[in-house]
Amino acid sequence: MPNTEQPAQVSIRRTYPVAPEKVWRAWTDPQALSQWFGPGQASLTKAEIDLRVGGQYHLAFAGPDGGLNQMTGVYQEVQPYTRLVFTWAWHSTPERVSRVSIELTPVAEGTELSFVHDRFFDEQARINHERGWALFFSSLDRLLTGGSL
């Protein structure tokens, strides 16, 4: 009997000393994305964003090996400064669609970000994304705690 249980999710929580609008911008503005999106040094080479429910995005970044990584998705929820939900699919495996949910909550220290990436194809995909998001969040953390966004 096949196992129909969904693999676990990648869940990340951060608190940033900035307003929700700045964290929102980091995820939704192509110029802001270019300052952090990518493993290690930000290496975003393409950012097309149609920020509305049903709108699509297309991002591309250079990987550590120099190869181009591309992903696309569709925005499912767009609640400015509070919630963003979108599908996530790599150009190389378009049939493997997962989902990213971001919630922003104002707190005394600034903004709490709750990030969940779920609906993975399998456990190995979850592990790979967990590793990747750790690198991406290191860059986002640097930008939002001391950068010039």
Side-chain angles (χ1 to χ4, degrees):
M1 177 181 257
N3 182 0
T4 58
E5 183 178 321
Q6 288 287 319
Q9 61 192 20
V10 174
S11 181
I12 299 171
R13 280 197 184 287
R14 294 285 198 277
T15 300
Y16 296 111
V18 297
E21 292 81 5
K22 287 194 174 190
V23 182
W24 177 263
R25 183 171 174 252
W27 285 93
T28 61
D29 177 82
Q31 270 193 308
L33 268 172
S34 71
Q35 294 181 51
W36 71 272
F37 198 88
Q41 294 290 75
S43 55
L44 193 66
T45 60
K46 180 177 194 172
E48 295 174 355
I49 296 175
D50 182 6
L51 189 62
R52 62 183 174 83
V53 173
Q56 297 183 14
Y57 70 88
H58 183 185
L59 305 176
F61 66 90
D65 61 358
L68 188 64
N69 297 287
Q70 299 182 67
M71 73 282 312
T72 60
V74 176
Y75 291 104
Q76 298 178 322
E77 291 184 49
V78 178
Q79 298 174 22
Y81 316 125
T82 58
R83 185 165 167 79
L84 186 65
V85 179
F86 51 92
T87 61
W88 176 277
W90 292 97
H91 187 285
S92 58
T93 53
E95 72 284 358
R96 295 184 179 191
V97 179
S98 56
R99 179 183 64 181
V100 172
S101 304
I102 298 165
E103 292 195 27
L104 304 177
T105 306
V107 294
E109 302 84 14
T111 302
E112 181 180 271
L113 178 146
S114 174
F115 170 95
V116 174
H117 192 160
D118 61 6
R119 299 184 180 174
F120 291 106
F121 177 76
D122 58 20
E123 180 61 13
Q124 188 59 53
R126 186 201 66 77
I127 291 167
N128 293 343
H129 282 85
E130 185 171 53
R131 190 176 307 125
W133 281 120
L135 295 172
F136 282 48
F137 266 86
S138 290
S139 296
L140 179 62
D141 294 350
R142 277 192 303 274
L143 177 68
L144 292 175
T145 58
S148 58
L149 183 63

